[in-house]
Amino acid sequence: MSEDPRRLLEQLRADAEERVRATAATLDELTHDREGSNDDDEHDPEGVTLSSEWSRLTGLAEAAAAELRQVDDALARLDAGTYGICANCGRPIPVGRLEVRPFAVHCVACAEKLGR
């Protein structure tokens, strides 16, 4: 890898944490702004509906949380000395794959076999 894996993973972790915080804050604002309101935003011709925005933000929050878990798992593998080793076949994960997916658990062949 051209970059130190720990530094790269820690940066990815910080970015994912920030996205988790930002989406949670936006969801909280959305909830707070709509408290006590009986507006029927589903029929509001002026923009995005509440349910659409809620769905979009929830999807972003879930994706950020999933990435955070993957990065934490990769950091644990790094600490255990198993980072870059395929969890399925035990062979090294190619550097190119780790550059694209620093939290990869499987080599390309195993990922294709497993559908991941």
Side-chain angles (χ1 to χ4, degrees):
M1 276 182 96
S2 58
E3 192 174 336
D4 173 37
R6 179 168 303 282
R7 192 172 66 199
L8 176 62
L9 289 167
E10 286 174 350
Q11 182 59 54
L12 287 172
R13 186 178 198 296
D15 294 346
E17 264 188 331
E18 178 54 34
R19 286 195 319 277
V20 166
R21 273 194 298 273
T23 53
T26 305
L27 281 167
D28 286 347
E29 282 179 32
L30 187 63
T31 301
H32 177 71
D33 290 347
R34 300 303 290 198
E35 279 179 359
S37 176
N38 290 350
D39 293 347
D40 182 9
D41 77 335
E42 298 302 319
H43 297 95
D44 182 1
E46 303 289 325
V48 181
T49 63
L50 176 62
S51 60
S52 295
E53 185 64 3
W54 188 270
S55 179
R56 183 186 75 80
L57 289 169
T58 301
L60 290 172
E62 289 171 359
E67 184 176 333
L68 185 58
R69 284 189 301 276
Q70 289 175 324
V71 171
D72 282 343
D73 290 346
L75 285 166
R77 288 191 304 278
L78 194 62
D79 291 340
T82 59
Y83 179 78
I85 305 296
C86 179
N88 191 51
C89 70
R91 294 188 191 122
I93 298 172
V95 171
R97 177 160 171 79
L98 290 173
E99 286 176 348
V100 174
R101 285 185 61 85
F103 41 79
V105 176
H106 300 101
C107 66
V108 176
C110 288
E112 287 175 352
K113 269 194 280 188
L114 298 168
R116 296 183 182 161

